[in-house]
Amino acid sequence: MRIFARKTLREFWEQSSYADSEQALKAWYDEASKADWKTPNDIKALYKSASILRESRVVFNIHGDKYRVMVKINYLFSTIYIRFVGTHKQYDKINANEV
C-alpha cells in the first residue's frame, strides 16, 4: 500500500508529549506499507481491533490503544490517506466520518 503522508505521523511523534508513539507508529507504517489490503476483512485479519467505518475509513489502535490513526483507503489503487493521528481522548472529540 502507498501511504500519504508519513509526515503527519512524524510531526505527531516529534511533539515531546507524544514521543513514546514513535516506534509504534513506525511499526504500523511499515506493516501497512507492505500490506496488500483489498477489503476491510484483509485489515481485520491483521488488526483485529481496527474499527471499520463507512466511506473506506479505518481506525487503528496504536501503542495499546493510547493513540489512534484514522485513514481513508482506496482499495482499488492500494493507497492509504492518513486523516488523523492523535490520542484516544483527541479522537473522541472529532467526527470520524467527516475528517
Side-chain angles (χ1 to χ4, degrees), residues 1 6 16 22 24 34 36 45-46 49 51 55 61 71-72 85-86 88-89:
M1 305 291 291
R6 186 170 193 257
S16 60
E22 181 176 0
K34 293 173 186 168
D36 185 28
L46 183 60
S49 65
S51 299
E55 297 182 23
N61 299 315
V71 302
K72 186 167 184 166
V85 59
H88 194 274
K89 188 175 182 178

Side-chain angles (χ1 to χ4, degrees), residues 4-45:
F4 300 94
R6 186 170 193 257
K7 179 182 175 184
T8 305
L9 299 176
R10 189 183 73 247
E11 287 174 347
F12 182 77
W13 78 57
E14 285 179 346
Q15 297 175 54
S16 60
S17 346
Y18 308 125
D20 66 329
S21 69
E22 181 176 0
Q23 293 307 314
L25 289 170
K26 284 180 176 179
W28 173 84
Y29 182 90
D30 288 343
E31 288 177 347
S33 64
K34 293 173 186 168
D36 185 28
W37 297 324
K38 300 295 185 200
T39 68
N41 289 335
D42 295 339
I43 296 169
K44 291 295 273 185

Side-chain angles (χ1 to χ4, degrees), residues 24-90:
L25 289 170
K26 284 180 176 179
W28 173 84
Y29 182 90
D30 288 343
E31 288 177 347
S33 64
K34 293 173 186 168
D36 185 28
W37 297 324
K38 300 295 185 200
T39 68
N41 289 335
D42 295 339
I43 296 169
K44 291 295 273 185
L46 183 60
Y47 292 97
K48 303 226 184 294
S49 65
S51 299
I52 308 299
L53 307 177
R54 64 182 190 206
E55 297 182 23
S56 301
R57 294 173 197 255
V58 180
V59 178
F60 294 92
N61 299 315
I62 306 293
H63 197 55
D65 203 21
K66 185 174 181 180
Y67 302 107
R68 297 243 170 132
V69 173
M70 187 183 69
V71 302
K72 186 167 184 166
I73 299 178
N74 183 319
Y75 295 100
L76 183 63
F77 294 104
S78 298
T79 54
I80 298 173
Y81 301 90
I82 297 172
R83 308 296 292 165
F84 171 85
V85 59
T87 65
H88 194 274
K89 188 175 182 178
Q90 291 167 335

